[in-house]
Amino acid sequence: MKEKIITIDGPAASGKEKISKYISKKWKFKHLDSGILYRRLALIFFNEKIDVNNLKKIKEKIKEIKYLSYRKNQKLRSQEISNLSSKIAVYVCVRNLINRLQYDFVKKNKNNQGFVVDGRDIGTVVFKNADLKLYIDVKAEIRAKRRYKQLIDSGEKSIYRKILKEIKLRDNKDKFRKNSPLVIPKDAHIINNDSSFNDTIKQIKPLLDNL
Ligand code: CDP
């Protein structure tokens, strides 16, 4: 039987990770978080003080990279790295590298059920022929409130209004860039995640049970 692919796209802090993890656990799909790769790469540029406006330097560095770890840590989730990751996500060379790493991951991690992959361009570019596509929709104010709580809980200093501003800025960058912008895949189910997690699961469950 062919492995199934489920794609989950949506804007910053829309809950893609929590939903992906839930699907991964309940229906035994392997989870691939593409955002973490953009964050990993951003962290490398940050640590090596590579100017993210200098495309020549970025291209040089990218040639050296054969692998990026999927391991998560607090620094990767910081506001600084969030902003940097959406800055580098506009470059074709960055997207090509990360797409290649995602295909490698799927090849190397064969799994009976399949994969749940989340990001911005997963249903539109990376896995266009996916078996099920979800698009997570949440108001910016609610996303900011949740991300604010997450940062405070993880010990980072945070200001709600600043988070809201940064989320809106990142949304604009992701939606209006030329390469692989965040759009609703035309064959996606729109999942509203404004309310409780239970409410979200009620919308998702029948789609997965019918796969
Ligand atoms: O968790 P959150 O939604 O805040 O962000 P993320 O999924 O970790 O992604 C961080 C940034 O990487 C996004 O703001 C995008 O600019 C970029 N990204 C992308 O362009 N394409 C993807 N498939 C995943 C992330």
Side-chain angles (χ1 to χ4, degrees):
M1 201 178 76
K2 202 182 147 285
E3 290 166 319
K4 293 205 160 50
I5 303 267
I6 298 160
T7 65
I8 304 192
D9 290 300
S14 53
K16 300 179 299 290
E17 191 186 10
K18 191 170 175 187
I19 295 169
S20 301
K21 278 190 174 151
Y22 177 83
I23 293 176
S24 162
K25 199 163 167 225
K26 185 155 172 59
W27 286 277
K28 312 269 182 295
F29 289 92
K30 213 164 180 79
H31 178 208
L32 196 173
D33 175 353
S34 65
I36 211 71
L37 299 178
Y38 287 90
R39 288 172 183 273
R40 273 271 161 211
L41 199 55
L43 185 61
I44 292 175
F45 295 145
F46 176 79
N47 286 341
E48 298 190 16
K49 298 190 173 52
I50 294 171
D51 175 6
V52 295
N53 297 308
N54 188 336
L55 185 55
K56 190 168 167 272
K57 283 261 175 328
I58 287 189
K59 280 185 176 163
E60 276 168 21
K61 184 69 204 170
I62 275 181
K63 277 193 199 135
E64 296 169 14
I65 296 174
K66 302 279 170 276
Y67 172 78
L68 289 171
S69 166
Y70 285 85
R71 227 170 331 115
K72 299 179 182 183
N73 62 42
Q74 249 187 50
K75 177 74 188 166
L76 288 174
R77 307 269 357 145
S78 67
Q79 272 309 109
E80 201 165 28
I81 298 301
S82 299
N83 296 340
L84 218 50
S85 62
S86 78
K87 278 190 185 155
I88 62 164
V90 301
Y91 298 125
V92 178
C93 59
V94 164
R95 308 203 69 85
N96 286 345
L97 167 71
I98 289 179
N99 292 353
R100 203 170 63 237
L101 295 175
Q102 291 182 72
Y103 296 135
D104 284 352
F105 180 91
V106 166
K107 234 188 261 167
K108 284 192 192 129
N109 291 275
K110 286 288 170 203
N111 165 284
N112 283 339
Q113 286 298 103
F115 296 86
V116 53
V117 190
D118 74 283
R120 303 289 188 291
D121 59 341
I122 310 300
T124 48
V125 176
V126 186
F127 293 108
K128 278 190 200 131
N129 300 321
D131 300 273
L132 175 67
K133 298 183 184 180
L134 306 179
Y135 183 89
I136 314 300
D137 194 29
V138 192
K139 282 190 201 80
E141 288 71 17
I142 296 179
R143 290 188 272 134
K145 219 183 269 173
R146 290 177 183 162
R147 183 54 53 100
Y148 169 77
K149 189 174 177 305
Q150 217 176 38
L151 289 169
I152 292 288
D153 288 350
S154 70
E156 215 184 303
K157 281 203 187 93
S158 186
I159 300 167
Y160 168 77
R161 288 171 71 85
K162 197 165 162 239
I163 302 277
L164 179 61
K165 198 172 148 209
E166 281 173 348
I167 277 188
K168 285 184 174 171
L169 262 176
R170 198 141 64 91
D171 280 356
N172 277 342
K173 264 205 204 86
D174 292 345
K175 285 180 180 167
F176 300 113
R177 67 183 172 220
K178 197 167 115 233
N179 305 308
S180 308
L182 169 67
V183 290
I184 305 176
K186 58 179 184 320
D187 42 356
H189 297 264
I190 299 176
I191 305 296
N192 181 282
N193 192 23
D194 275 347
S195 178
S196 69
F197 192 61
N198 260 350
D199 187 64
T200 302
I201 296 309
K202 271 189 208 147
Q203 300 168 63
I204 288 172
K205 196 172 176 299
L207 300 172
L208 274 126
D209 285 341
N210 287 328
L211 251 190

